[in-house]
PDB file of all heavy atoms in Angstrom:
ATOM      1  N   HIS A  21     -14.181  -9.188  15.849  1.00 88.00           N
ATOM      2  CA  HIS A  21     -14.128  -7.732  15.918  1.00 88.00           C
ATOM      3  C   HIS A  21     -12.686  -7.246  16.049  1.00 88.00           C
ATOM      4  O   HIS A  21     -12.282  -6.262  15.413  1.00 88.00           O
ATOM      5  CB  HIS A  21     -14.963  -7.238  17.104  1.00 88.00           C
ATOM      6  CG  HIS A  21     -14.920  -5.754  17.297  1.00 88.00           C
ATOM      7  ND1 HIS A  21     -15.465  -4.859  16.381  1.00 88.00           N
ATOM      8  CD2 HIS A  21     -14.385  -4.987  18.294  1.00 88.00           C
ATOM      9  CE1 HIS A  21     -15.260  -3.627  16.802  1.00 88.00           C
ATOM     10  NE2 HIS A  21     -14.620  -3.671  17.963  1.00 88.00           N
ATOM     11  N   GLN A  22     -11.884  -7.949  16.865  1.00 89.00           N
ATOM     12  CA  GLN A  22     -10.485  -7.557  17.052  1.00 89.00           C
ATOM     13  C   GLN A  22      -9.679  -7.712  15.768  1.00 89.00           C
ATOM     14  O   GLN A  22      -8.835  -6.872  15.447  1.00 89.00           O
ATOM     15  CB  GLN A  22      -9.859  -8.411  18.163  1.00 89.00           C
ATOM     16  CG  GLN A  22     -10.202  -7.961  19.573  1.00 89.00           C
ATOM     17  CD  GLN A  22      -9.395  -8.721  20.606  1.00 89.00           C
ATOM     18  OE1 GLN A  22      -9.247  -9.940  20.518  1.00 89.00           O
ATOM     19  NE2 GLN A  22      -8.882  -8.011  21.597  1.00 89.00           N
ATOM     20  N   LEU A  23      -9.945  -8.791  15.025  1.00 89.00           N
ATOM     21  CA  LEU A  23      -9.230  -9.023  13.770  1.00 89.00           C
ATOM     22  C   LEU A  23      -9.580  -7.948  12.738  1.00 89.00           C
ATOM     23  O   LEU A  23      -8.713  -7.472  11.996  1.00 89.00           O
ATOM     24  CB  LEU A  23      -9.567 -10.413  13.223  1.00 89.00           C
ATOM     25  CG  LEU A  23      -8.628 -10.958  12.149  1.00 89.00           C
ATOM     26  CD1 LEU A  23      -7.220 -11.118  12.702  1.00 89.00           C
ATOM     27  CD2 LEU A  23      -9.146 -12.298  11.634  1.00 89.00           C
ATOM     28  N   LEU A  24     -10.844  -7.554  12.713  1.00 90.00           N
ATOM     29  CA  LEU A  24     -11.273  -6.493  11.804  1.00 90.00           C
ATOM     30  C   LEU A  24     -10.583  -5.174  12.154  1.00 90.00           C
ATOM     31  O   LEU A  24     -10.112  -4.448  11.270  1.00 90.00           O
ATOM     32  CB  LEU A  24     -12.792  -6.334  11.874  1.00 90.00           C
ATOM     33  CG  LEU A  24     -13.405  -5.219  11.001  1.00 90.00           C
ATOM     34  CD1 LEU A  24     -13.131  -5.487   9.526  1.00 90.00           C
ATOM     35  CD2 LEU A  24     -14.907  -5.094  11.260  1.00 90.00           C
ATOM     36  N   ARG A  25     -10.498  -4.881  13.449  1.00 93.00           N
ATOM     37  CA  ARG A  25      -9.809  -3.657  13.886  1.00 93.00           C
ATOM     38  C   ARG A  25      -8.320  -3.696  13.542  1.00 93.00           C
ATOM     39  O   ARG A  25      -7.741  -2.683  13.141  1.00 93.00           O
ATOM     40  CB  ARG A  25      -9.995  -3.470  15.394  1.00 93.00           C
ATOM     41  CG  ARG A  25     -11.379  -2.996  15.799  1.00 93.00           C
ATOM     42  CD  ARG A  25     -11.439  -2.722  17.288  1.00 93.00           C
ATOM     43  NE  ARG A  25     -10.511  -1.671  17.689  1.00 93.00           N
ATOM     44  CZ  ARG A  25     -10.168  -1.422  18.949  1.00 93.00           C
ATOM     45  NH1 ARG A  25     -10.663  -2.157  19.923  1.00 93.00           N
ATOM     46  NH2 ARG A  25      -9.327  -0.443  19.233  1.00 93.00           N
ATOM     47  N   LEU A  26      -7.709  -4.868  13.693  1.00 92.00           N
ATOM     48  CA  LEU A  26      -6.295  -5.011  13.348  1.00 92.00           C
ATOM     49  C   LEU A  26      -6.073  -4.752  11.857  1.00 92.00           C
ATOM     50  O   LEU A  26      -5.120  -4.069  11.475  1.00 92.00           O
ATOM     51  CB  LEU A  26      -5.805  -6.418  13.708  1.00 92.00           C
ATOM     52  CG  LEU A  26      -4.333  -6.700  13.394  1.00 92.00           C
ATOM     53  CD1 LEU A  26      -3.418  -5.871  14.292  1.00 92.00           C
ATOM     54  CD2 LEU A  26      -4.009  -8.191  13.552  1.00 92.00           C
ATOM     55  N   ARG A  27      -6.965  -5.279  11.024  1.00 92.00           N
ATOM     56  CA  ARG A  27      -6.846  -5.066   9.581  1.00 92.00           C
ATOM     57  C   ARG A  27      -6.995  -3.586   9.238  1.00 92.00           C
ATOM     58  O   ARG A  27      -6.237  -3.031   8.429  1.00 92.00           O
ATOM     59  CB  ARG A  27      -7.895  -5.896   8.846  1.00 92.00           C
ATOM     60  CG  ARG A  27      -7.779  -5.825   7.321  1.00 92.00           C
ATOM     61  CD  ARG A  27      -8.820  -6.668   6.617  1.00 92.00           C
ATOM     62  NE  ARG A  27      -8.565  -8.085   6.770  1.00 92.00           N
ATOM     63  CZ  ARG A  27      -9.353  -8.930   7.440  1.00 92.00           C
ATOM     64  NH1 ARG A  27     -10.452  -8.480   8.033  1.00 92.00           N
ATOM     65  NH2 ARG A  27      -9.052 -10.200   7.519  1.00 92.00           N
ATOM     66  N   GLN A  28      -7.966  -2.924   9.844  1.00 94.00           N
ATOM     67  CA  GLN A  28      -8.160  -1.489   9.602  1.00 94.00           C
ATOM     68  C   GLN A  28      -6.956  -0.681  10.080  1.00 94.00           C
ATOM     69  O   GLN A  28      -6.509   0.252   9.413  1.00 94.00           O
ATOM     70  CB  GLN A  28      -9.436  -1.017  10.308  1.00 94.00           C
ATOM     71  CG  GLN A  28     -10.724  -1.586   9.720  1.00 94.00           C
ATOM     72  CD  GLN A  28     -11.945  -1.260  10.566  1.00 94.00           C
ATOM     73  OE1 GLN A  28     -11.837  -0.955  11.757  1.00 94.00           O
ATOM     74  NE2 GLN A  28     -13.125  -1.330   9.966  1.00 94.00           N
ATOM     75  N   PHE A  29      -6.433  -1.061  11.232  1.00 95.00           N
ATOM     76  CA  PHE A  29      -5.257  -0.400  11.808  1.00 95.00           C
ATOM     77  C   PHE A  29      -4.057  -0.575  10.876  1.00 95.00           C
ATOM     78  O   PHE A  29      -3.287   0.364  10.638  1.00 95.00           O
ATOM     79  CB  PHE A  29      -4.962  -1.008  13.178  1.00 95.00           C
ATOM     80  CG  PHE A  29      -4.072  -0.170  14.057  1.00 95.00           C
ATOM     81  CD1 PHE A  29      -3.866  -0.520  15.390  1.00 95.00           C
ATOM     82  CD2 PHE A  29      -3.429   0.965  13.578  1.00 95.00           C
ATOM     83  CE1 PHE A  29      -3.051   0.233  16.220  1.00 95.00           C
ATOM     84  CE2 PHE A  29      -2.604   1.726  14.397  1.00 95.00           C
ATOM     85  CZ  PHE A  29      -2.406   1.355  15.707  1.00 95.00           C
ATOM     86  N   ALA A  30      -3.903  -1.788  10.318  1.00 96.00           N
ATOM     87  CA  ALA A  30      -2.792  -2.068   9.403  1.00 96.00           C
ATOM     88  C   ALA A  30      -2.914  -1.234   8.129  1.00 96.00           C
ATOM     89  O   ALA A  30      -1.921  -0.681   7.626  1.00 96.00           O
ATOM     90  CB  ALA A  30      -2.753  -3.550   9.070  1.00 96.00           C
ATOM     91  N   HIS A  31      -4.126  -1.099   7.603  1.00 96.00           N
ATOM     92  CA  HIS A  31      -4.334  -0.293   6.393  1.00 96.00           C
ATOM     93  C   HIS A  31      -4.047   1.181   6.668  1.00 96.00           C
ATOM     94  O   HIS A  31      -3.433   1.876   5.845  1.00 96.00           O
ATOM     95  CB  HIS A  31      -5.775  -0.461   5.893  1.00 96.00           C
ATOM     96  CG  HIS A  31      -6.033  -1.814   5.309  1.00 96.00           C
ATOM     97  ND1 HIS A  31      -7.308  -2.301   5.088  1.00 96.00           N
ATOM     98  CD2 HIS A  31      -5.185  -2.787   4.890  1.00 96.00           C
ATOM     99  CE1 HIS A  31      -7.232  -3.514   4.571  1.00 96.00           C
ATOM    100  NE2 HIS A  31      -5.957  -3.825   4.444  1.00 96.00           N
ATOM    101  N   GLY A  32      -4.486   1.664   7.821  1.00 97.00           N
ATOM    102  CA  GLY A  32      -4.208   3.053   8.180  1.00 97.00           C
ATOM    103  C   GLY A  32      -2.724   3.319   8.365  1.00 97.00           C
ATOM    104  O   GLY A  32      -2.205   4.362   7.933  1.00 97.00           O
ATOM    105  N   THR A  33      -2.016   2.359   8.968  1.00 97.00           N
ATOM    106  CA  THR A  33      -0.564   2.487   9.149  1.00 97.00           C
ATOM    107  C   THR A  33       0.142   2.494   7.802  1.00 97.00           C
ATOM    108  O   THR A  33       1.098   3.250   7.585  1.00 97.00           O
ATOM    109  CB  THR A  33      -0.038   1.332  10.022  1.00 97.00           C
ATOM    110  OG1 THR A  33      -0.727   1.338  11.276  1.00 97.00           O
ATOM    111  CG2 THR A  33       1.452   1.479  10.274  1.00 97.00           C
ATOM    112  N   THR A  34      -0.321   1.651   6.883  1.00 96.00           N
ATOM    113  CA  THR A  34       0.241   1.615   5.528  1.00 96.00           C
ATOM    114  C   THR A  34       0.116   2.975   4.856  1.00 96.00           C
ATOM    115  O   THR A  34       1.070   3.479   4.242  1.00 96.00           O
ATOM    116  CB  THR A  34      -0.479   0.549   4.682  1.00 96.00           C
ATOM    117  OG1 THR A  34      -0.347  -0.715   5.301  1.00 96.00           O
ATOM    118  CG2 THR A  34       0.098   0.490   3.273  1.00 96.00           C
ATOM    119  N   ALA A  35      -1.060   3.580   4.950  1.00 97.00           N
ATOM    120  CA  ALA A  35      -1.284   4.896   4.340  1.00 97.00           C
ATOM    121  C   ALA A  35      -0.376   5.953   4.963  1.00 97.00           C
ATOM    122  O   ALA A  35       0.170   6.814   4.258  1.00 97.00           O
ATOM    123  CB  ALA A  35      -2.757   5.297   4.505  1.00 97.00           C
ATOM    124  N   LEU A  36      -0.184   5.873   6.276  1.00 97.00           N
ATOM    125  CA  LEU A  36       0.676   6.839   6.974  1.00 97.00           C
ATOM    126  C   LEU A  36       2.135   6.685   6.541  1.00 97.00           C
ATOM    127  O   LEU A  36       2.835   7.679   6.305  1.00 97.00           O
ATOM    128  CB  LEU A  36       0.533   6.653   8.486  1.00 97.00           C
ATOM    129  CG  LEU A  36       1.279   7.646   9.384  1.00 97.00           C
ATOM    130  CD1 LEU A  36       0.841   9.078   9.093  1.00 97.00           C
ATOM    131  CD2 LEU A  36       1.042   7.307  10.856  1.00 97.00           C
ATOM    132  N   ILE A  37       2.593   5.439   6.411  1.00 97.00           N
ATOM    133  CA  ILE A  37       3.967   5.187   5.965  1.00 97.00           C
ATOM    134  C   ILE A  37       4.159   5.686   4.530  1.00 97.00           C
ATOM    135  O   ILE A  37       5.195   6.276   4.194  1.00 97.00           O
ATOM    136  CB  ILE A  37       4.298   3.684   6.077  1.00 97.00           C
ATOM    137  CG1 ILE A  37       4.343   3.265   7.552  1.00 97.00           C
ATOM    138  CG2 ILE A  37       5.623   3.354   5.385  1.00 97.00           C
ATOM    139  CD1 ILE A  37       4.423   1.767   7.766  1.00 97.00           C
ATOM    140  N   PHE A  38       3.179   5.464   3.686  1.00 97.00           N
ATOM    141  CA  PHE A  38       3.232   5.929   2.291  1.00 97.00           C
ATOM    142  C   PHE A  38       3.337   7.450   2.240  1.00 97.00           C
ATOM    143  O   PHE A  38       4.151   8.017   1.495  1.00 97.00           O
ATOM    144  CB  PHE A  38       1.990   5.451   1.541  1.00 97.00           C
ATOM    145  CG  PHE A  38       1.952   5.851   0.095  1.00 97.00           C
ATOM    146  CD1 PHE A  38       2.750   5.195  -0.843  1.00 97.00           C
ATOM    147  CD2 PHE A  38       1.118   6.874  -0.336  1.00 97.00           C
ATOM    148  CE1 PHE A  38       2.712   5.556  -2.186  1.00 97.00           C
ATOM    149  CE2 PHE A  38       1.078   7.246  -1.672  1.00 97.00           C
ATOM    150  CZ  PHE A  38       1.879   6.585  -2.604  1.00 97.00           C
ATOM    151  N   LEU A  39       2.530   8.123   3.063  1.00 97.00           N
ATOM    152  CA  LEU A  39       2.561   9.585   3.121  1.00 97.00           C
ATOM    153  C   LEU A  39       3.912  10.088   3.631  1.00 97.00           C
ATOM    154  O   LEU A  39       4.455  11.081   3.132  1.00 97.00           O
ATOM    155  CB  LEU A  39       1.430  10.087   4.031  1.00 97.00           C
ATOM    156  CG  LEU A  39       1.194  11.604   4.088  1.00 97.00           C
ATOM    157  CD1 LEU A  39       0.811  12.141   2.712  1.00 97.00           C
ATOM    158  CD2 LEU A  39       0.097  11.934   5.093  1.00 97.00           C
ATOM    159  N   THR A  40       4.488   9.384   4.605  1.00 97.00           N
ATOM    160  CA  THR A  40       5.803   9.751   5.138  1.00 97.00           C
ATOM    161  C   THR A  40       6.879   9.637   4.063  1.00 97.00           C
ATOM    162  O   THR A  40       7.751  10.500   3.936  1.00 97.00           O
ATOM    163  CB  THR A  40       6.169   8.852   6.340  1.00 97.00           C
ATOM    164  OG1 THR A  40       5.133   8.940   7.326  1.00 97.00           O
ATOM    165  CG2 THR A  40       7.488   9.272   6.958  1.00 97.00           C
ATOM    166  N   ALA A  41       6.812   8.564   3.284  1.00 96.00           N
ATOM    167  CA  ALA A  41       7.781   8.372   2.196  1.00 96.00           C
ATOM    168  C   ALA A  41       7.654   9.483   1.151  1.00 96.00           C
ATOM    169  O   ALA A  41       8.658  10.017   0.662  1.00 96.00           O
ATOM    170  CB  ALA A  41       7.584   7.007   1.552  1.00 96.00           C
ATOM    171  N   LEU A  42       6.430   9.852   0.810  1.00 96.00           N
ATOM    172  CA  LEU A  42       6.220  10.940  -0.154  1.00 96.00           C
ATOM    173  C   LEU A  42       6.759  12.256   0.382  1.00 96.00           C
ATOM    174  O   LEU A  42       7.345  13.052  -0.361  1.00 96.00           O
ATOM    175  CB  LEU A  42       4.727  11.086  -0.483  1.00 96.00           C
ATOM    176  CG  LEU A  42       4.097  10.031  -1.396  1.00 96.00           C
ATOM    177  CD1 LEU A  42       2.710  10.487  -1.826  1.00 96.00           C
ATOM    178  CD2 LEU A  42       4.952   9.758  -2.613  1.00 96.00           C
ATOM    179  N   SER A  43       6.584  12.491   1.681  1.00 97.00           N
ATOM    180  CA  SER A  43       7.122  13.727   2.262  1.00 97.00           C
ATOM    181  C   SER A  43       8.645  13.728   2.195  1.00 97.00           C
ATOM    182  O   SER A  43       9.276  14.780   2.079  1.00 97.00           O
ATOM    183  CB  SER A  43       6.637  13.894   3.711  1.00 97.00           C
ATOM    184  OG  SER A  43       7.306  13.012   4.594  1.00 97.00           O
ATOM    185  N   GLY A  44       9.249  12.547   2.252  1.00 96.00           N
ATOM    186  CA  GLY A  44      10.699  12.430   2.098  1.00 96.00           C
ATOM    187  C   GLY A  44      11.161  12.857   0.717  1.00 96.00           C
ATOM    188  O   GLY A  44      12.259  13.405   0.557  1.00 96.00           O
ATOM    189  N   ALA A  45      10.327  12.611  -0.299  1.00 95.00           N
ATOM    190  CA  ALA A  45      10.656  13.055  -1.658  1.00 95.00           C
ATOM    191  C   ALA A  45      10.693  14.578  -1.732  1.00 95.00           C
ATOM    192  O   ALA A  45      11.533  15.161  -2.432  1.00 95.00           O
ATOM    193  CB  ALA A  45       9.636  12.496  -2.650  1.00 95.00           C
ATOM    194  N   PHE A  46       9.798  15.249  -1.007  1.00 96.00           N
ATOM    195  CA  PHE A  46       9.813  16.718  -0.978  1.00 96.00           C
ATOM    196  C   PHE A  46      11.055  17.223  -0.248  1.00 96.00           C
ATOM    197  O   PHE A  46      11.638  18.245  -0.634  1.00 96.00           O
ATOM    198  CB  PHE A  46       8.536  17.244  -0.317  1.00 96.00           C
ATOM    199  CG  PHE A  46       7.335  17.218  -1.216  1.00 96.00           C
ATOM    200  CD1 PHE A  46       6.494  16.125  -1.259  1.00 96.00           C
ATOM    201  CD2 PHE A  46       7.061  18.288  -2.049  1.00 96.00           C
ATOM    202  CE1 PHE A  46       5.396  16.095  -2.101  1.00 96.00           C
ATOM    203  CE2 PHE A  46       5.958  18.278  -2.900  1.00 96.00           C
ATOM    204  CZ  PHE A  46       5.125  17.173  -2.926  1.00 96.00           C
ATOM    205  N   VAL A  47      11.468  16.511   0.811  1.00 96.00           N
ATOM    206  CA  VAL A  47      12.705  16.872   1.508  1.00 96.00           C
ATOM    207  C   VAL A  47      13.887  16.787   0.552  1.00 96.00           C
ATOM    208  O   VAL A  47      14.730  17.696   0.481  1.00 96.00           O
ATOM    209  CB  VAL A  47      12.932  15.945   2.723  1.00 96.00           C
ATOM    210  CG1 VAL A  47      14.305  16.192   3.335  1.00 96.00           C
ATOM    211  CG2 VAL A  47      11.862  16.172   3.784  1.00 96.00           C
ATOM    212  N   ALA A  48      13.954  15.702  -0.216  1.00 93.00           N
ATOM    213  CA  ALA A  48      15.059  15.511  -1.159  1.00 93.00           C
ATOM    214  C   ALA A  48      15.009  16.548  -2.279  1.00 93.00           C
ATOM    215  O   ALA A  48      16.037  17.121  -2.657  1.00 93.00           O
ATOM    216  CB  ALA A  48      15.005  14.098  -1.736  1.00 93.00           C
ATOM    217  N   GLY A  49      13.806  16.787  -2.805  1.00 91.00           N
ATOM    218  CA  GLY A  49      13.667  17.707  -3.931  1.00 91.00           C
ATOM    219  C   GLY A  49      14.028  19.142  -3.597  1.00 91.00           C
ATOM    220  O   GLY A  49      14.500  19.891  -4.456  1.00 91.00           O
ATOM    221  N   LEU A  50      13.811  19.538  -2.331  1.00 92.00           N
ATOM    222  CA  LEU A  50      14.100  20.916  -1.906  1.00 92.00           C
ATOM    223  C   LEU A  50      15.412  21.035  -1.122  1.00 92.00           C
ATOM    224  O   LEU A  50      15.728  22.123  -0.631  1.00 92.00           O
ATOM    225  CB  LEU A  50      12.945  21.435  -1.031  1.00 92.00           C
ATOM    226  CG  LEU A  50      11.615  21.689  -1.735  1.00 92.00           C
ATOM    227  CD1 LEU A  50      10.521  21.986  -0.709  1.00 92.00           C
ATOM    228  CD2 LEU A  50      11.732  22.852  -2.717  1.00 92.00           C
ATOM    229  N   ASP A  51      16.151  19.934  -0.995  1.00 91.00           N
ATOM    230  CA  ASP A  51      17.345  19.912  -0.137  1.00 91.00           C
ATOM    231  C   ASP A  51      17.002  20.376   1.276  1.00 91.00           C
ATOM    232  O   ASP A  51      17.807  21.043   1.947  1.00 91.00           O
ATOM    233  CB  ASP A  51      18.466  20.794  -0.715  1.00 91.00           C
ATOM    234  CG  ASP A  51      19.178  20.122  -1.869  1.00 91.00           C
ATOM    235  OD1 ASP A  51      19.172  18.872  -1.923  1.00 91.00           O
ATOM    236  OD2 ASP A  51      19.749  20.828  -2.715  1.00 91.00           O
ATOM    237  N   ALA A  52      15.787  20.027   1.715  1.00 92.00           N
ATOM    238  CA  ALA A  52      15.299  20.496   3.020  1.00 92.00           C
ATOM    239  C   ALA A  52      16.054  19.870   4.180  1.00 92.00           C
ATOM    240  O   ALA A  52      16.023  20.393   5.296  1.00 92.00           O
ATOM    241  CB  ALA A  52      13.802  20.206   3.154  1.00 92.00           C
ATOM    242  N   GLY A  53      16.742  18.761   3.936  1.00 91.00           N
ATOM    243  CA  GLY A  53      17.521  18.138   4.997  1.00 91.00           C
ATOM    244  C   GLY A  53      18.713  18.969   5.434  1.00 91.00           C
ATOM    245  O   GLY A  53      19.291  18.732   6.495  1.00 91.00           O
ATOM    246  N   LEU A  54      19.074  19.964   4.624  1.00 91.00           N
ATOM    247  CA  LEU A  54      20.224  20.810   4.946  1.00 91.00           C
ATOM    248  C   LEU A  54      19.848  22.006   5.820  1.00 91.00           C
ATOM    249  O   LEU A  54      20.725  22.729   6.281  1.00 91.00           O
ATOM    250  CB  LEU A  54      20.865  21.325   3.649  1.00 91.00           C
ATOM    251  CG  LEU A  54      21.317  20.257   2.642  1.00 91.00           C
ATOM    252  CD1 LEU A  54      21.866  20.920   1.388  1.00 91.00           C
ATOM    253  CD2 LEU A  54      22.359  19.345   3.261  1.00 91.00           C
ATOM    254  N   VAL A  55      18.553  22.223   6.036  1.00 92.00           N
ATOM    255  CA  VAL A  55      18.112  23.420   6.761  1.00 92.00           C
ATOM    256  C   VAL A  55      18.391  23.293   8.254  1.00 92.00           C
ATOM    257  O   VAL A  55      18.949  24.207   8.867  1.00 92.00           O
ATOM    258  CB  VAL A  55      16.608  23.676   6.520  1.00 92.00           C
ATOM    259  CG1 VAL A  55      16.161  24.930   7.260  1.00 92.00           C
ATOM    260  CG2 VAL A  55      16.318  23.806   5.028  1.00 92.00           C
ATOM    261  N   TYR A  56      18.009  22.172   8.854  1.00 92.00           N
ATOM    262  CA  TYR A  56      18.253  21.921  10.277  1.00 92.00           C
ATOM    263  C   TYR A  56      18.864  20.531  10.437  1.00 92.00           C
ATOM    264  O   TYR A  56      18.390  19.574   9.813  1.00 92.00           O
ATOM    265  CB  TYR A  56      16.955  21.992  11.085  1.00 92.00           C
ATOM    266  CG  TYR A  56      16.364  23.379  11.184  1.00 92.00           C
ATOM    267  CD1 TYR A  56      15.339  23.771  10.323  1.00 92.00           C
ATOM    268  CD2 TYR A  56      16.836  24.304  12.118  1.00 92.00           C
ATOM    269  CE1 TYR A  56      14.793  25.046  10.403  1.00 92.00           C
ATOM    270  CE2 TYR A  56      16.296  25.576  12.210  1.00 92.00           C
ATOM    271  CZ  TYR A  56      15.282  25.939  11.344  1.00 92.00           C
ATOM    272  OH  TYR A  56      14.735  27.196  11.423  1.00 92.00           O
ATOM    273  N   ASN A  57      19.897  20.412  11.259  1.00 92.00           N
ATOM    274  CA  ASN A  57      20.526  19.108  11.475  1.00 92.00           C
ATOM    275  C   ASN A  57      20.517  18.693  12.946  1.00 92.00           C
ATOM    276  O   ASN A  57      21.324  17.877  13.371  1.00 92.00           O
ATOM    277  CB  ASN A  57      21.962  19.098  10.931  1.00 92.00           C
ATOM    278  CG  ASN A  57      22.865  20.093  11.668  1.00 92.00           C
ATOM    279  OD1 ASN A  57      22.397  20.842  12.510  1.00 92.00           O
ATOM    280  ND2 ASN A  57      24.135  20.095  11.317  1.00 92.00           N
ATOM    281  N   SER A  58      19.612  19.283  13.730  1.00 92.00           N
ATOM    282  CA  SER A  58      19.488  18.933  15.151  1.00 92.00           C
ATOM    283  C   SER A  58      18.139  18.254  15.388  1.00 92.00           C
ATOM    284  O   SER A  58      17.168  18.507  14.674  1.00 92.00           O
ATOM    285  CB  SER A  58      19.594  20.185  16.022  1.00 92.00           C
ATOM    286  OG  SER A  58      18.632  21.151  15.622  1.00 92.00           O
ATOM    287  N   PHE A  59      18.098  17.388  16.399  1.00 91.00           N
ATOM    288  CA  PHE A  59      16.865  16.654  16.706  1.00 91.00           C
ATOM    289  C   PHE A  59      16.822  16.377  18.216  1.00 91.00           C
ATOM    290  O   PHE A  59      17.861  16.090  18.801  1.00 91.00           O
ATOM    291  CB  PHE A  59      16.849  15.320  15.935  1.00 91.00           C
ATOM    292  CG  PHE A  59      15.564  14.556  16.082  1.00 91.00           C
ATOM    293  CD1 PHE A  59      14.499  14.816  15.245  1.00 91.00           C
ATOM    294  CD2 PHE A  59      15.421  13.589  17.066  1.00 91.00           C
ATOM    295  CE1 PHE A  59      13.299  14.125  15.383  1.00 91.00           C
ATOM    296  CE2 PHE A  59      14.239  12.899  17.222  1.00 91.00           C
ATOM    297  CZ  PHE A  59      13.176  13.162  16.365  1.00 91.00           C
ATOM    298  N   PRO A  60      15.703  16.466  18.882  1.00 91.00           N
ATOM    299  CA  PRO A  60      14.366  16.679  18.327  1.00 91.00           C
ATOM    300  C   PRO A  60      14.031  18.137  18.008  1.00 91.00           C
ATOM    301  O   PRO A  60      13.087  18.399  17.284  1.00 91.00           O
ATOM    302  CB  PRO A  60      13.452  16.138  19.425  1.00 91.00           C
ATOM    303  CG  PRO A  60      14.221  16.381  20.698  1.00 91.00           C
ATOM    304  CD  PRO A  60      15.663  16.154  20.338  1.00 91.00           C
ATOM    305  N   LYS A  61      14.786  19.098  18.581  1.00 92.00           N
ATOM    306  CA  LYS A  61      14.529  20.496  18.259  1.00 92.00           C
ATOM    307  C   LYS A  61      15.073  20.831  16.879  1.00 92.00           C
ATOM    308  O   LYS A  61      15.978  20.167  16.374  1.00 92.00           O
ATOM    309  CB  LYS A  61      15.170  21.419  19.306  1.00 92.00           C
ATOM    310  CG  LYS A  61      14.506  21.403  20.667  1.00 92.00           C
ATOM    311  CD  LYS A  61      15.147  22.452  21.578  1.00 92.00           C
ATOM    312  CE  LYS A  61      14.450  22.537  22.927  1.00 92.00           C
ATOM    313  NZ  LYS A  61      15.053  23.571  23.800  1.00 92.00           N
ATOM    314  N   MET A  62      14.517  21.871  16.282  1.00 92.00           N
ATOM    315  CA  MET A  62      15.030  22.387  15.019  1.00 92.00           C
ATOM    316  C   MET A  62      15.764  23.687  15.351  1.00 92.00           C
ATOM    317  O   MET A  62      15.138  24.729  15.564  1.00 92.00           O
ATOM    318  CB  MET A  62      13.893  22.605  14.019  1.00 92.00           C
ATOM    319  CG  MET A  62      13.155  21.310  13.680  1.00 92.00           C
ATOM    320  SD  MET A  62      11.774  21.498  12.542  1.00 92.00           S
ATOM    321  CE  MET A  62      12.619  21.759  10.981  1.00 92.00           C
ATOM    322  N   GLY A  63      17.091  23.587  15.450  1.00 89.00           N
ATOM    323  CA  GLY A  63      17.866  24.706  15.964  1.00 89.00           C
ATOM    324  C   GLY A  63      17.651  24.798  17.461  1.00 89.00           C
ATOM    325  O   GLY A  63      17.808  23.812  18.196  1.00 89.00           O
ATOM    326  N   GLU A  64      17.229  25.963  17.917  1.00 90.00           N
ATOM    327  CA  GLU A  64      16.971  26.162  19.345  1.00 90.00           C
ATOM    328  C   GLU A  64      15.485  26.111  19.678  1.00 90.00           C
ATOM    329  O   GLU A  64      15.091  26.367  20.811  1.00 90.00           O
ATOM    330  CB  GLU A  64      17.535  27.533  19.781  1.00 90.00           C
ATOM    331  CG  GLU A  64      19.044  27.652  19.625  1.00 90.00           C
ATOM    332  CD  GLU A  64      19.785  26.653  20.490  1.00 90.00           C
ATOM    333  OE1 GLU A  64      19.343  26.420  21.635  1.00 90.00           O
ATOM    334  OE2 GLU A  64      20.800  26.094  20.019  1.00 90.00           O
ATOM    335  N   ARG A  65      14.649  25.795  18.695  1.00 91.00           N
ATOM    336  CA  ARG A  65      13.207  25.869  18.899  1.00 91.00           C
ATOM    337  C   ARG A  65      12.543  24.538  18.562  1.00 91.00           C
ATOM    338  O   ARG A  65      13.025  23.771  17.722  1.00 91.00           O
ATOM    339  CB  ARG A  65      12.595  26.978  18.028  1.00 91.00           C
ATOM    340  CG  ARG A  65      13.195  28.354  18.280  1.00 91.00           C
ATOM    341  CD  ARG A  65      12.586  29.380  17.343  1.00 91.00           C
ATOM    342  NE  ARG A  65      11.162  29.580  17.593  1.00 91.00           N
ATOM    343  CZ  ARG A  65      10.675  30.458  18.466  1.00 91.00           C
ATOM    344  NH1 ARG A  65      11.510  31.233  19.154  1.00 91.00           N
ATOM    345  NH2 ARG A  65       9.382  30.589  18.635  1.00 91.00           N
TER     346      ARG A  65
END
C-alpha cells in the first residue's frame, strides 16, 4: 500500500512540476518577471 501511494505521489508531483514549467513559459512570453522583483512579497503586498 505504501509503495502504491509513493508511486501516485510521484506522478502527482511530476504533473505539478510540469505545470510549473509551463507557467514559466507564460512568465517569459509576457516579460512578467520584470513586474515585481521582491520576494516573498510582491512589492509591499
Side-chain angles (χ1 to χ4, degrees):
H21 177 66
Q22 281 188 316
L23 196 62
L24 178 62
R25 285 185 61 194
L26 180 68
R27 185 179 289 114
Q28 292 172 339
F29 198 172
H31 289 164
T33 303
T34 302
L36 184 58
I37 292 170
F38 181 76
L39 187 62
T40 304
L42 285 191
S43 74
F46 282 91
V47 172
L50 291 171
D51 283 335
L54 303 177
V55 181
Y56 291 98
N57 63 355
S58 55
F59 186 86
K61 289 185 176 181
M62 299 178 74
E64 297 298 321
R65 303 177 65 88

